[in-house]
Amino acid sequence: MIEFSKAIFKNGLTLIHHQDNKTPYVLVNILYKVGAKHESPEKTGFAHLFEHLMFGGTKHFADFDIPLQEAGASNNAFTNNDVTNYYEWLPAHNAELAFCMEADRMINLKINKKSLDVQKSVVIEEFKEHYINKPYGDVWHIIREMVYEKHPYRWPTIGMSLEHIKQAQLEDVKAFYENFYTPDNAILVVAGNIDWDTCYSYTEKWFGSIEKHTNYTPSIPKEPIQEQQKRKVVYRDVPQKMLYIVFKMPGKGSPVFAVADLLSDILSMGESSLLHKEFIEERKIAYDLEVYLSSSVDIGLFVVEVKLKDEVIPEEAEKLLFESIQKAKALITPRVLDKVKNKSLTSLYFSENELMSRGVGLAFSELMGNAGDVNKEEEKIMSVTKEQIVDFIDSYLTVEKSNVLHYLKNI
Amino acid sequence: MMHPIPKIHPAREIDIIGYETIMLDSGIPCFGFNGVPYDIINIDFCFDSGRWTETKPLTASFYSKMFKTGTEKANAEQLSENIDFWGGTIKINQGYNSITISVYSILRNLEPVLQILQEIFLESKFEQDKLDFKKEKSINRLNINNRKTEFLADEAFKKMIFGENHPYGYTTKKEDIENINRNDVVDYFKNNICSNNLKVYVSGKYDNAVIKMIDKYFPLSVFSNPVDTAFKYQSQPAANKKFHLTIPQAEQASLIIGKELEVPRDATFYDFSVLNTILGGYFGSRLMKNIREDKGYTYGIHSEIMNYKHSSVWCISTEVGLEYIELCKEEIYKEILRLKNEKIDNQELDRVRNYLMGKMLRYFDGPFNTKNVYKTFWNTNREIEHLTYLINSIKTVTSKRLLELANSFFNEESFYEVLVD
């Protein structure tokens, strides 16, 4: 049970506090409700590029990292399609510094041409490192664009292309900051060795005077229901062929999310999983096989990824996969279901033992509507039934609703 | 009007948290780290072996790959089914000088998970067809890795430092994978997974019942072959200190510059680790500030000390845009020269002291972290007292001392340089 307290300030800032006196640290984590999905299709990669600029210094701190390092802190951030999340991890006696600095960069960020130019270049190298200079690096660019027709999940967080990063302008950056970096668009989670009164008074002191300002959230286009299978074949200079079958599914807040999560384990977690047994052990047509979810707030992805052996014809493996997913419905015995539930519970306990996952878990649960839901994970896992899983397969994992990618070796 | 900026308080003393020495009936050394709120437990069986005790390349790696592939009673699928049913995890991790088998479980299901581990130790079959598949899969993996500049640079660098015949230096070759046979795996298991080179670490929430279980499932007689872990390899560094490989599909270059650190692990070693932090060991380091944050040549550049049981290597590594390679190298050498010519000012040195002390708090934050600290130190031949050297270096090393160290270590002629683009 993760205990917490919550307050909403006049300017709309949400504060969530969780105390743990066993650790010598305090985690100050601020989540902004802005991610790649809020970008315009002509200017993708912007939320992530902006995250880099948030380290460029503020009115009162010429360098954002130096004072934190002096205080013995570690700090970092990440951006995904839904949110941008910043955190400081400090020795408890220096906790106030992080409140002061996060508040300053919410209102007083310094944005200049030099810092923009340098960070554009850094992000271009990051793009190359992860998405170009690696075999299969572009696979998510291809899949997202194929699967999503309208929803801005069409592009990955890093951006659709290097060109978009190169074209980012100072005015765009300033407008983005004005619009999205506002107290009412943020969730502040403070966890660790700090009590509620101290935490509340620091928040009031540093964030209290920041005014709520206009916050325009672009309306996100609704993704149409897919009625027909989509297919794509690409050839690249890679040593081995891959097969991806991707289905759209409801987002994290949906009750079927836990159902899909357990199904993905039934299909591919460990050597006793259904698809592993069939494709690797029995038919010996794959080196590896994984089933996973994209875990997004809006309409998400249920992904089957297979590393095929050379001699295997992708169309045949694909046909087998669809059949196996249907066959799975009859193979979900109570023991199989208990197995994946037990496994999920153990990882839940190990993960909740970490302060960082408790903190980020609270922030995400609050984003989804209620921080308290962080404590419902166990119940959600335990209540999944076989009927729900069968129903999920029938509703979402059909041939018509599938997106198939054959990622093949150059001929 | 802004409130005054909060005063930064200096780092507090680190409490070095100890361990409980647990007497196992078998006499195997066992160390306990207790105290988490959840009913979770982790047991690491750490064998002093790894690549170092191989008699043929890649045998440690293939023993690890074959570890859970089936016993007399259960095939791979049934083993995995049984472990997963109890919500447990049994992992094997092969290092240069160790094989670590880790068990993760919730307390109430620990016994059946340990039973399965015992079965794996006592009754593994190491079947030929499983081995064939693991070999095929490894060759496939190698083909993918050989398209990655980062992987190729890392292999080339270690080979230059230690030589192709050294366990830290050999590269993975297709022929070596093909040459592995079933006997190699069985022999590696018999000669290395022994009670006389085993340390057990128990962390999380445990009690006497847990210790009794370890005794019950891992009696001394189970593994008793002696293993020779003595020092026996000497580095054979490459004569040519520069290596350049071009691969057609590269869109970015991988660059590594470094050398073996031929110093005893005394105060000098820990003083050097402070110098390394200043150069490239944290986000505010000189390399990051200059080459990433000022010039934008790379997404990341780091310098680090890699500690092995019998050696330490210092190196700078980065993935850099093809058009910036020469400029990047120039800046790296400029930063090294600055450390040799100019004293580090107190402000920067104090910052690094505080940053490192803050980071060290993490070492003893909870039993799992504490366990990892002891494991890392012991696996690299260091006693935990070395931690006091490290703390002492962080607190007291002077800029004069760092200048001396920079001049004695950063001798450019001694650097090895690898570029894959």
Side-chain angles (χ1 to χ4, degrees), chain A residues 9-10 99 199-209, chain B residues 3:
Chain A
F9 288 77
K10 278 205 299 278
F99 289 81
C199 170
Y200 186 91
S201 70
Y202 286 165
T203 310
E204 176 69 54
K205 175 175 169 189
W206 293 105
F207 290 90
S209 63
Chain B
H3 304 284

Side-chain angles (χ1 to χ4, degrees), chain B residues 11-43:
Chain B
R12 296 202 175 141
E13 290 301 317
I14 310 269
D15 295 326
I16 297 185
I17 294 172
Y19 52 85
E20 182 190 2
T21 306
I22 296 167
M23 300 309 290
L24 292 180
D25 291 347
S26 56
I28 295 169
C30 179
F31 308 98
F33 304 85
N34 216 339
V36 291
Y38 293 86
D39 284 344
I40 52 177
I41 184 159
N42 159 227
I43 306 176

Side-chain angles (χ1 to χ4, degrees), chain B residues 257-325:
Chain B
I257 297 173
K259 63 187 270 195
E260 189 171 13
L261 270 186
E262 286 154 335
V263 283
R265 285 172 175 154
D266 58 11
T268 311
F269 178 84
Y270 295 100
D271 287 350
F272 180 76
S273 75
V274 177
L275 183 66
N276 174 67
T277 307
I278 292 169
L279 176 64
Y282 73 123
F283 199 88
S285 71
R286 291 184 172 190
L287 291 174
M288 278 295 263
K289 282 279 181 214
N290 177 356
I291 296 169
R292 173 181 146 136
E293 291 298 291
D294 188 56
K295 310 281 191 317
Y297 296 158
T298 176
Y299 175 52
I301 180 161
H302 309 280
S303 72
E304 60 180 323
I305 302 169
M306 296 180 280
N307 286 316
Y308 302 86
K309 186 174 174 189
H310 300 292
S311 174
S312 291
V313 170
W314 164 82
C315 72
I316 297 171
S317 60
T318 183
E319 311 300 304
V320 57
L322 296 174
E323 65 275 39
Y324 303 129
I325 298 169

Side-chain angles (χ1 to χ4, degrees), chain A residues 106-157:
Chain A
M106 184 185 279
I107 188 78
N108 288 322
L109 185 69
K110 269 193 314 191
I111 303 170
N112 60 62
K113 177 91 174 42
K114 154 96 185 169
S115 140
L116 176 62
D117 286 345
V118 169
Q119 291 308 322
K120 276 158 76 170
S121 177
V122 169
V123 170
I124 285 167
E125 293 306 323
E126 181 180 0
F127 197 129
K128 288 190 211 159
E129 188 173 327
H130 296 299
Y131 304 92
I132 299 179
N133 198 34
K134 270 199 181 118
Y136 314 101
D138 62 349
V139 74
W140 281 99
H141 282 86
I142 300 168
I143 290 177
R144 285 182 175 279
E145 205 174 353
M146 164 164 75
V147 177
Y148 291 108
E149 283 165 39
K150 295 269 164 36
H151 195 285
Y153 286 166
R154 277 172 68 72
W155 54 86
T157 310

Side-chain angles (χ1 to χ4, degrees), chain B residues 282-394:
Chain B
Y282 73 123
F283 199 88
S285 71
R286 291 184 172 190
L287 291 174
M288 278 295 263
K289 282 279 181 214
N290 177 356
I291 296 169
R292 173 181 146 136
E293 291 298 291
D294 188 56
K295 310 281 191 317
Y297 296 158
T298 176
Y299 175 52
I301 180 161
H302 309 280
S303 72
E304 60 180 323
I305 302 169
M306 296 180 280
N307 286 316
Y308 302 86
K309 186 174 174 189
H310 300 292
S311 174
S312 291
V313 170
W314 164 82
C315 72
I316 297 171
S317 60
T318 183
E319 311 300 304
V320 57
L322 296 174
E323 65 275 39
Y324 303 129
I325 298 169
E326 287 312 314
L327 294 167
C328 177
K329 270 163 61 174
E330 217 172 274
E331 293 303 325
I332 290 173
Y333 284 108
K334 258 192 226 166
E335 289 302 342
I336 288 174
L337 202 64
R338 256 179 78 205
L339 287 175
K340 291 165 76 169
N341 290 339
E342 297 166 23
K343 263 194 184 174
I344 297 158
D345 69 42
N346 282 338
Q347 204 191 351
E348 185 179 4
L349 187 53
D350 284 345
R351 178 164 82 237
V352 169
R353 292 191 212 279
N354 286 325
Y355 168 76
L356 286 174
M357 288 304 280
K359 204 174 131 189
M360 287 202 57
L361 272 186
R362 189 73 190 257
Y363 282 24
F364 299 102
D365 186 9
F368 296 128
N369 286 318
T370 308
K371 180 261 301 181
N372 283 333
V373 171
Y374 282 88
K375 204 167 77 172
T376 307
F377 271 74
W378 286 335
N379 278 348
T380 49
N381 247 356
R382 292 178 289 170
E383 283 308 315
I384 207 71
E385 287 69 45
H386 280 228
L387 209 56
T388 53
Y389 296 164
L390 174 58
I391 293 171
N392 197 39
S393 289
I394 293 171

Side-chain angles (χ1 to χ4, degrees), chain A residues 23-25 52 60-61 63 65-67 69-73 89 91 93-94 96-97 100 114 118-119 121-122 125-126 128-130 132-133 135 205-206 237-240 269-272 277 280-281 286-288 309 335 338-339 342-343 346 349-350 352-353, chain B residues 2-4 6 8-10 12 36-38 40-41 76-77 80-82 84-85 87-89 104 106 130 133 136-137 140 143-144 147-149 250-252 282-284 289 292-294 296-299 319-321 324 351 354-355 358-359 361-362 365 368:
Chain A
T23 169
Y25 287 103
H52 279 244
H60 297 98
F61 299 95
D63 184 302
D65 297 308
I66 286 176
Q69 287 151 3
E70 282 168 351
W89 183 262
H93 63 284
N94 279 325
E96 189 181 357
L97 182 69
C100 158
K114 154 96 185 169
V118 169
Q119 291 308 322
S121 177
V122 169
E125 293 306 323
E126 181 180 0
K128 288 190 211 159
E129 188 173 327
H130 296 299
I132 299 179
N133 198 34
K205 175 175 169 189
W206 293 105
D237 183 17
V238 290
Q240 172 202 302
M269 184 197 65
E271 298 192 34
S272 65
K277 262 198 300 202
I280 299 175
E281 291 298 317
Y287 291 115
D288 239 323
K309 289 195 181 179
R335 184 174 161 100
D338 280 349
K339 180 182 77 175
N342 287 343
K343 193 84 179 180
T346 310
Y349 294 156
F350 271 93
E352 281 190 2
N353 186 56
Chain B
M2 170 126 165
H3 304 284
I8 294 173
H9 304 282
R12 296 202 175 141
V36 291
Y38 293 86
I40 52 177
I41 184 159
E77 174 203 325
S80 158
E81 162 84 24
N82 294 340
D84 291 345
F85 179 75
T89 299
Y104 301 87
I106 51 177
K130 296 283 177 200
F133 176 66
E136 196 185 331
K137 197 173 161 179
N140 185 266
N143 289 336
I144 296 174
R147 308 276 172 119
K148 296 181 184 161
T149 55
E251 302 271 352
Q252 200 178 35
Y282 73 123
F283 199 88
K289 282 279 181 214
R292 173 181 146 136
E293 291 298 291
D294 188 56
Y297 296 158
T298 176
Y299 175 52
E319 311 300 304
V320 57
Y324 303 129
R351 178 164 82 237
N354 286 325
Y355 168 76
K359 204 174 131 189
L361 272 186
R362 189 73 190 257
D365 186 9
F368 296 128

